[in-house]
Amino acid sequence: MANLGPGKAAISKEQAGLRYPSNGKTIYHRPLHRSKTAELSQSSFAYLFSEMVSYAQRRVTGIQDLEKRLNLQGHPVGLKLLDLLLTREPARTQTRPLTIIALLHLIKINLWTHLFGRQADRLEKSSNPDTPDEYMIVDNEPLVNAYISVPREMSQLNCAAFVAGIVEGMCDGAMFPARVTAHTVGGKEEGEMWPGKTVFLVKFQPEVLEREALIGKG
């Protein structure tokens, strides 16, 4: 009778079509901190991202449609990265950001370092009094654009829309709903230091600013 238990377990695993390692441990047994500093080779990333762009390019009606699809691909990544990055923070700082500045610093420092091994180059607020809801994250050399060859007729395309989707997903997951878009601001002239310079424009919803004002009064 003692041998019936393992046999049934083995049969159920085979019927489920699952393959288990010989040591019985799966990816879910790995600690979150184990691969904190692990890096993916750039050639692997370039291949995977080019395939993602090719997939998003099918049956699009224009550049805006393609950038929208790339944005949608990045959005669920941002939702998951928010929880992962907060989990990897020290226990005393494992709290969700409560203000716009705290959230944007989490994105500029933690998110960029996790994805690209460095911080974003700048974080700015719009100086236009008519747009107090707009903030800008500046990346002088977006990695996602390094291995993408854009045809001349699609010169306005910026594949960093995928990263904009990740940022938007983090904002939405932190309950700071926003619209994030990627804009190329670097010039193509000879001698330009940052020809691929990209600005990620973060435009928060009105309710976010209302909540920010209430927090400031408190």
Side-chain angles (χ1 to χ4, degrees):
M1 295 295 291
N3 294 329
L4 292 179
K8 288 183 178 179
I11 293 173
S12 63
K13 289 179 181 179
E14 291 179 1
Q15 290 176 347
L18 300 176
R19 298 178 61 187
Y20 284 79
S22 58
N23 60 4
K25 294 185 177 181
T26 66
I27 189 173
Y28 301 107
H29 292 85
R30 300 177 186 174
L32 289 172
H33 294 272
R34 185 175 181 180
S35 58
K36 183 176 180 180
T37 57
E39 294 183 358
L40 176 70
S41 68
Q42 290 193 6
S43 58
S44 299
F45 169 78
Y47 173 75
L48 291 172
F49 188 66
S50 64
E51 289 298 310
M52 290 173 59
V53 175
S54 297
Y55 178 80
Q57 196 174 359
R58 297 174 184 174
R59 296 185 297 276
V60 295
T61 57
I63 294 176
Q64 290 185 347
D65 191 16
L66 175 54
E67 290 184 342
K68 182 179 179 180
R69 292 193 179 192
L70 291 172
N71 185 288
L72 292 175
Q73 287 180 352
H75 191 274
V77 179
L79 290 173
K80 294 178 175 63
L81 279 177
L82 174 65
D83 291 329
L84 177 62
L85 294 175
L86 290 176
T87 301
R88 287 179 172 173
E89 285 291 299
R92 65 180 183 277
T93 60
Q94 256 183 26
T95 57
R96 288 177 177 263
L98 301 179
T99 63
I100 291 177
I101 295 300
L103 172 64
L104 292 177
H105 273 97
L106 178 69
I107 294 172
K108 175 184 181 291
I109 299 173
N110 300 57
L111 175 63
W112 244 256
T113 302
H114 176 77
L115 293 177
F116 310 119
R118 60 176 179 82
Q119 299 182 22
D121 294 291
R122 287 204 314 278
L123 172 62
E124 301 176 358
K125 182 179 180 180
S126 174
S127 57
N128 188 344
D130 296 330
T131 55
D133 54 348
E134 292 185 354
Y135 292 78
M136 290 160 282
I137 300 173
V138 182
D139 191 334
N140 292 334
E141 292 182 295
L143 180 63
V144 292
N145 291 341
Y147 305 100
I148 298 295
S149 179
V150 179
R152 181 173 299 179
E153 63 273 13
M154 300 180 69
S155 59
Q156 299 301 316
L157 172 66
N158 192 327
C159 292
F162 174 72
V163 180
I166 296 177
V167 175
E168 187 172 322
M170 282 197 66
C171 292
D172 291 347
M175 302 304 172
F176 286 79
R179 175 73 177 127
V180 185
T181 52
H183 305 271
T184 303
V185 296
K188 302 298 182 181
E189 297 81 6
E190 184 177 354
E192 175 69 32
M193 182 176 293
W194 309 113
K197 183 177 179 180
T198 296
V199 170
F200 297 90
L201 181 63
V202 185
K203 185 177 180 64
F204 290 100
Q205 296 295 331
E207 58 266 27
V208 176
L209 297 184
E210 293 174 5
R211 183 178 62 202
E212 194 86 356
L214 291 175
I215 293 176
K217 291 179 180 178

